[in-house]
Amino acid sequence: MFNALGLMSGTAQDGIDVALIRTDGLAQVESGGFLTVPYPAGFRERLRSCLGPPGTVPATVVAAVEAELTARHAVAVDSLLQQEGVDAATVDLVGFHGHTLFHAPEQGQTWQIGDGATLAARLGIAVINDFRSADVAAGGQGAPFVPLFHQALAAAAGLERPLAVLNIGGVANLTYLGAAEDELIACDTGPGNALLDDWMLRHTGQLYDADGAVAASGRVDEALVRLWLDHDYFRRPSPKSLDRDAFDVTALVGRAVADGAATLTEFTVRAIAAAAATLPVPPRRWLVTGGGRHNGHLMRRLADVLAAPVVPVEAVGWNGDALEAQAFAYLAVRSRSGLPLSLPATTGVARPMTGGRLHVPPAAPHS
């Protein structure tokens, strides 16, 4: 068993999630403390300005943002350890996802920034980062990467299957656990919160649509939703993944704020419904994690279209805010043990694939 700490900076760019778990990287997972550290507005803007393919932004600018991102992660770790009264010397491993700037697996590219060696030296703890690139290099989608963790949690809890775990972050992704023990399907379903959050920030200065209240007051442009759902992505079979900025929604320019929010929310809902329609057997229940589970309007619309109970993961005792950070702690342990992080059924890679890059802190000088 390892004492592991996971770090997640999601595509919503809202901050850093930090979580402690104890795990063997297989079926045993014990949850520990958790903390979210929001990004200040200035850093969020600097991070957002770096999104795009390598070379889009000067390397010096990206390097400066990466250094700041890494330093902020170190402070977040310190804060959690202090909050929980945990000595850093008792933490065996840190899983450091970094932040995705660009994800185009069909071009053989996925790009996460975050300096694992610097973080390891700063914390004095071994760090594993660069989780996705080995999968993409081997022909996989490089995402989603949380399904094996979902599978472990569901098995430990003895949850009834078939079951769907839906993560609505910046991008939404689905883990389907079929009736058979080894039946696992995963994919990014389409947009999650990112497009709606961007819309709200641009037009209201708010970071998100609290409880979906703005969207609930607006009118959905059905023609636009159908147009977006005609994107080639939705005709591709699973497994599949996408970048947060894969969809062009500039047709919304000039619309009322509430109508734009309603239309973007409906796009997320209908994209999830389209993915659900491809599953072998309808899930008995949908467990929702990520920021989207706090959006009451979104959750109600999902319940309307999925024809099954749609509930936050807290209904089964999980922490939906901590889950992704916990997953990368779990994956770090699997990486350290040489176990697969992705499977043909989760990313489309040809064979089960391990990955990650280990950074061991420098040895302390002899006194």
Side-chain angles (χ1 to χ4, degrees):
M1 294 283 283
F2 290 80
N3 294 321
L5 184 149
L7 290 158
M8 185 65 199
S9 176
T11 51
Q13 303 162 29
D14 47 2
I16 303 165
D17 295 330
V18 198
L20 284 162
I21 65 170
R22 183 167 171 78
T23 184
D24 60 356
L26 297 168
Q28 297 185 57
V29 181
E30 301 169 9
S31 298
F34 166 73
L35 180 68
T36 291
V37 180
Y39 286 138
F43 178 70
R44 196 163 53 242
E45 291 165 7
R46 290 191 291 279
L47 183 59
R48 179 72 177 89
S49 74
C50 291
L51 297 182
T56 304
V57 178
T60 53
V61 174
V62 175
V65 169
E66 180 175 49
E68 184 175 358
L69 178 96
T70 305
R72 290 185 178 280
H73 277 71
V75 171
V77 171
D78 289 342
S79 297
L80 177 64
L81 297 181
Q82 182 176 8
Q83 171 186 293
E84 299 299 315
V86 172
D87 187 338
T90 66
V91 179
D92 300 308
L93 198 57
V94 171
F96 178 28
H97 176 268
H99 192 91
T100 298
L101 296 185
F102 184 64
H103 185 71
E106 68 283 356
Q107 301 171 25
Q109 294 187 66
T110 187
W111 185 22
Q112 288 78 41
I113 57 170
D115 188 332
T118 295
L119 186 63
R122 164 68 174 73
L123 297 175
I125 306 171
V127 169
I128 291 179
N129 72 335
D130 192 19
F131 287 91
R132 301 183 190 273
S133 63
D135 181 90
V136 171
Q141 289 288 304
F145 251 50
V146 291
L148 285 171
F149 184 59
H150 292 158
Q151 184 180 55
L153 290 179
L159 299 182
E160 189 176 18
R161 300 165 64 155
L163 172 72
V165 183
L166 178 65
N167 175 41
I168 309 178
V171 170
N173 54 69
L174 165 69
T175 300
Y176 175 79
L177 303 168
E181 185 176 344
D182 60 349
E183 187 178 7
L184 180 62
I185 298 171
C187 68
D188 286 349
T189 63
N193 304 316
L195 298 177
L196 175 61
D197 290 352
D198 288 351
W199 175 264
M200 292 299 295
L201 183 62
R202 186 178 309 118
H203 294 283
T204 72
Q206 302 299 310
L207 297 180
Y208 56 91
D209 181 7
D211 199 36
V214 175
S217 70
R219 177 177 296 180
V220 173
D221 186 323
E222 288 286 346
L224 269 186
V225 173
R226 287 194 298 271
L227 174 67
W228 295 336
L229 288 171
D230 194 44
H231 191 286
D232 176 66
Y233 183 79
F234 299 108
R235 291 189 287 273
R236 289 164 45 195
S238 297
K240 55 185 177 179
S241 68
L242 47 74
D243 188 72
R244 82 182 297 284
D245 293 325
F247 300 103
D248 179 3
V249 294
T250 54
L252 280 178
V253 171
R255 305 297 177 91
V257 173
D259 293 348
T263 303
L264 290 169
T265 302
E266 190 67 13
F267 182 27
T268 292
V269 168
R270 302 267 276 275
I272 292 166
T278 69
L279 298 175
V281 178
R284 293 177 178 270
R285 180 165 53 165
W286 290 74
L287 300 178
V288 185
T289 185
R293 77 192 193 288
H294 297 303
N295 183 322
H297 175 64
L298 174 60
M299 293 288 281
R300 288 188 292 273
R301 285 294 298 129
L302 287 172
D304 290 340
V305 302
L306 294 174
V310 177
V311 297
V313 294
E314 283 76 8
V316 295
W318 302 350
N319 181 339
D321 293 324
L323 216 59
E324 276 201 290
Q326 292 174 340
F328 280 94
Y330 178 80
L331 292 172
V333 171
R334 289 183 67 87
S335 174
R336 188 68 182 268
S337 303
L339 295 168
L341 309 185
S342 57
L343 307 173
T346 61
T347 68
V349 71
R351 65 185 189 282
M353 178 66 57
T354 191
R357 184 175 302 176
L358 174 65
H359 305 274
V360 179
H366 294 291
S367 56

